[in-house]
Amino acid sequence: VDNHRSMPGIDNQYANMVDQKVNYILGKRMSIQTGNDKYTDALNLVFDKDFHRMMQGVATDAFNGGLAWVHPYYNDAGEMVFKHFPAQSIFPFWADDAHTQLDMAVRYYETIAYISKVARTVQHIEVYSKAGLQRYILESGRMIPDKDMPEVAYAVDADGNKLAWQRIPLVAFKYNQHEIPLIKRAITLQDAINNTRSNWDINMNEDIRDTILVLRNYDGTSLDEFRQKLIQHGAVKVSDGGDVTTLRIERDATNYAEYLKETKRALIENARGFDAKDDRMANNPNEMNLRSMYSDIDLDADMMETQFQAAFDQLLW
């Protein structure tokens, strides 16, 4: 995904689908409703604007990775805060087949350290269990306890006693029940769009295989010599009655445009998004047409909402 975003000339319809879905589900701040006004006010203090901004990143990562992780913890000021871990950085060990409870989890990440002004990549491993957090440095295939802070308690009380949760403080926010990324449904169509555009760009440029030169009474010895003189001087010499004409391969832009249009439409349908440029919006944007246009993204949003509600129950615990 990141490569597609950075490459020039790429028509990244998949990235548009991800942004569209994230803003469709979490474009506005979440509304918290409970039966207790004091509890609602307390939750609003915790689930603030920073939390909502983090949740947009969580949703994006859930689409791209199948799931994303939220780690609740206490900062140095004793405040409960939340950290987002991407899917690829966490290796979960599930306690059940439905992937709802964790036995333990391992986090892998890298940092850059400077030793004698030389940059060095440091590989970190964190092991999350019910007892607490153990930190290691990976060197030559061996896990060595991190000398700076080998063990970290999930919480510490006023007397300095280390406390732990009854559950591992990692909550999985899933895109769907099977934790399958959105890209699985769109990768072949996205590649087809990019390949079609790339081939068209190549074919539109002047090339020796696209233009066939027809020579009559050429005053030279070989075709190689002809090409060399043509490039060098921009002209060639022919005998009396000679001529140079061209036969050019013409490509039908209509077929190209129609194929690209249908492929984009197929990607949007398979990614369960909506086309803001749909003809139904231009001709007769009535309520029935709007419902039809938004039916796929509503289906996906409802499925994701079910997973996120279950994750919020765990986070509230």
Side-chain angles (χ1 to χ4, degrees):
V1 177
D2 291 337
N3 289 339
H4 281 187
R5 286 182 181 273
S6 60
M7 292 174 62
I10 294 299
D11 186 5
N12 198 341
Q13 294 295 315
Y14 169 76
N16 292 341
M17 289 293 98
V18 173
D19 293 343
Q20 183 185 95
K21 288 172 174 290
V22 170
N23 283 280
Y24 188 78
I25 297 173
L26 289 168
K28 296 181 179 180
R29 185 174 175 179
M30 295 174 292
S31 175
I32 299 175
Q33 299 176 355
T34 71
N36 186 314
D37 291 340
K38 290 184 177 180
Y39 184 44
T40 300
D41 293 339
L43 289 180
N44 278 317
L45 291 176
V46 178
F47 298 145
D48 54 11
K49 292 181 180 180
D50 286 339
F51 180 84
H52 179 257
R53 179 175 58 183
M54 183 199 71
M55 284 305 302
Q56 287 190 329
V58 170
T60 300
D61 197 41
F63 282 121
N64 290 328
L67 77 166
W69 299 89
V70 173
H71 171 46
Y73 69 100
Y74 291 100
N75 61 17
D76 294 337
E79 301 168 332
M80 172 165 279
V81 291
F82 304 90
K83 186 173 181 61
H84 164 219
F85 293 149
Q88 66 270 18
S89 68
I90 298 293
F91 301 89
F93 294 81
W94 296 103
D96 60 337
D97 293 337
H99 291 188
T100 60
Q101 298 294 332
L102 287 168
D103 270 335
M104 63 174 292
V106 176
R107 179 189 176 211
Y108 172 85
Y109 65 99
E110 297 178 351
T111 59
I112 301 297
Y114 287 88
I115 301 176
S116 300
K117 298 184 179 180
V118 177
R120 175 174 171 263
T121 300
V122 181
Q123 298 175 302
H124 299 267
I125 292 179
E126 295 180 344
V127 180
Y128 292 80
S129 66
K130 291 181 180 179
L133 171 62
Q134 290 78 43
R135 303 175 66 197
Y136 301 89
I137 302 297
L138 186 62
E139 291 185 359
S140 303
R142 296 179 57 207
M143 291 172 54
I144 302 172
D146 190 337
K147 61 182 180 180
D148 294 331
M149 195 178 295
E151 295 184 6
V152 179
Y154 293 135
V156 179
D157 64 15
D159 297 326
N161 298 315
K162 295 181 179 180
L163 304 176
W165 302 99
Q166 294 175 348
R167 301 177 186 176
I168 296 174
L170 281 174
V171 179
F173 282 79
K174 302 179 182 180
Y175 167 40
N176 53 54
Q177 177 183 357
H178 303 290
E179 303 165 17
I180 298 175
L182 177 64
I183 191 65
K184 292 287 187 180
R185 297 207 304 257
I187 183 64
T188 54
L189 291 166
Q190 179 62 67
D191 287 344
I193 291 173
N194 292 336
N195 290 334
T196 301
R197 288 179 59 90
S198 177
N199 292 335
W200 180 258
D201 289 342
I202 293 173
N203 291 334
M204 285 297 291
N205 294 326
E206 183 78 18
D207 190 271
I208 188 173
R209 293 177 295 275
D210 295 335
T211 303
I212 301 174
L213 299 176
V214 181
L215 309 180
R216 296 183 180 87
N217 297 330
Y218 167 57
D219 190 13
T221 58
S222 67
L223 292 176
D224 291 338
E225 181 189 29
F226 164 77
R227 274 294 184 185
Q228 182 179 0
K229 290 184 177 181
L230 183 62
I231 294 173
Q232 183 177 0
H233 303 290
V236 292
K237 184 179 179 182
V238 295
S239 302
D240 293 340
D243 192 12
V244 179
T245 59
T246 60
L247 295 177
R248 206 174 152 72
I249 301 174
E250 299 295 337
R251 288 171 173 79
D252 191 348
T254 303
N255 292 340
Y256 158 78
E258 187 63 26
Y259 173 78
L260 206 56
K261 178 181 178 181
E262 291 301 319
T263 306
K264 288 182 180 180
R265 181 178 299 173
L267 188 149
I268 293 172
E269 290 179 355
N270 279 269
R272 293 176 185 167
F274 67 89
D275 185 1
K277 300 177 182 178
D278 194 297
D279 293 339
R280 288 171 290 186
M281 289 293 292
N283 298 331
N284 187 21
N286 54 45
E287 184 177 355
M288 184 173 295
N289 285 340
L290 290 175
R291 286 184 178 181
S292 175
M293 190 177 73
Y294 284 95
S295 60
D296 286 343
I297 196 170
D298 279 334
L299 177 67
D300 225 25
D302 290 343
M303 178 180 64
M304 189 172 184
E305 182 184 2
T306 300
Q307 298 298 324
F308 271 44
Q309 284 180 345
F312 268 110
D313 282 345
Q314 293 185 353
L315 197 63
L316 286 171
W317 181 91

